[in-house]
Amino acid sequence: MRKRVWALAAALLMLPLTGCGSLLNRDYSVTEPHSSSYYESEDRSVLRAESYQDLVNALLVLISGGAKQGTIWLYPDDSGLPAPQAAERACLEVQKETPLGAYVVEYLTYTVDETPRNYDAIQLTVGYRRTAAQVAGIVHITSTSALGDLLREAARNHAAELVVQVGYFDHQAEEVRTQVRQIQAEVEPESKEPWTVNFYPDSGNAGIIEVLLSGAGSAAGAEQNTENAN
């Protein structure tokens, strides 16, 4: 059941997102997990990648499913990028530059078996700093204009946090912070503790926005995240 929850959340999170920088000037996508051509074994314990982009997608499939370990068979392509370099680059890209990876992944480690054959086997271990429930609780919005009403509702419900995945975000971090301050002043005029705003990835084109609400809610959220990291 846990994997089904993660997969459902990831299906929504993996809408095409464009980031910034040399690695982010393209859309992110995930191959459908039920595609038989994507798996190398009937028990679906091994994923197949025929390019660097496939490798990134395979990593996102593992993460969206909440997998703690996984194997990817990387086949050679026209890029000529050796498997160890491809694995290092893909792990960094997924963890630092994709919304889902930046939000949920604490660490990624890997080993590469380059035994002579027509593929290289990449063994991966994933550490998480978010729970499946947190991922499933992400609210999907088309733009930041919906954030105000969502924050008011979260405050009324004494929520510890509000996390949204936004379809369009173009260097609007300061605009979002201003909006959050205004909403907090409206719903918590006596509060001395400001709400915390985090962006994933922390760049001009973030895909996920996290707001930690003040008071007991924020303390509970911080404690939960600490427990997840441990």
Side-chain angles (χ1 to χ4, degrees):
M1 181 63 181
R2 180 174 181 270
K3 286 188 176 181
R4 292 179 182 175
V5 172
W6 276 81
L8 178 60
L12 296 172
L13 281 170
M14 289 301 98
L15 292 172
L17 293 170
T18 303
C20 63
S22 60
L23 296 180
L24 292 179
N25 291 325
R26 55 187 171 78
D27 289 339
Y28 287 102
S29 61
V30 174
T31 301
E32 170 59 42
H34 298 291
S35 171
S36 59
S37 63
Y38 197 69
Y39 287 85
E40 286 285 1
S41 60
E42 291 184 1
D43 63 359
R44 298 186 176 180
S45 61
V46 178
L47 293 130
R48 178 189 183 97
E50 296 182 350
S51 66
Y52 175 78
Q53 180 61 64
D54 282 352
L55 179 58
V56 171
N57 290 348
L59 280 166
L60 289 170
V61 167
L62 291 173
I63 292 167
S64 68
K68 294 183 178 180
Q69 294 182 324
T71 301
I72 301 173
W73 288 359
L74 178 62
Y75 290 80
D77 63 7
D78 295 337
S79 70
L81 188 65
Q85 285 89 328
E88 179 181 12
R89 176 179 165 185
C91 286
L92 286 172
E93 180 176 346
V94 166
Q95 184 177 359
K96 302 296 185 181
E97 301 181 4
T98 69
L100 181 63
Y103 178 65
V104 306
V105 174
E106 180 68 22
Y107 63 84
L108 278 165
T109 63
Y110 64 90
T111 59
V112 180
D113 182 356
E114 297 180 274
T115 300
R117 56 197 166 196
N118 64 337
Y119 65 85
D120 295 311
I122 302 173
Q123 302 283 345
L124 296 135
T125 301
V126 189
Y128 296 93
R129 58 194 181 110
R130 299 288 187 267
T131 66
Q134 285 178 296
V135 174
I138 294 175
V139 180
H140 303 272
I141 61 177
T142 56
S143 69
T144 58
S145 60
L147 194 57
D149 289 340
L150 291 172
L151 283 170
R152 293 184 185 93
E153 182 181 359
R156 285 196 300 270
N157 294 331
H158 306 287
E161 63 185 13
L162 172 68
V163 182
V164 300
Q165 184 260 321
V166 60
Y168 176 78
F169 187 95
D170 185 15
H171 297 83
Q172 296 169 277
E174 191 53 41
E175 176 184 323
V176 168
R177 292 189 181 98
T178 299
Q179 187 177 10
V180 169
R181 287 194 296 268
Q182 291 173 343
I183 297 301
Q184 182 180 14
E186 173 189 323
V187 300
E188 291 185 356
E190 304 300 323
S191 177
K192 304 297 184 182
E193 182 180 351
W195 293 349
T196 302
V197 185
N198 298 311
F199 301 93
Y200 303 92
D202 187 12
S203 68
N205 290 319
I208 292 177
I209 303 171
E210 173 189 58
V211 182
L212 303 179
L213 281 68
S214 60
S218 290
E223 180 179 351
Q224 184 179 37
N225 289 340
T226 300
E227 291 174 356
N228 293 339
N230 294 335

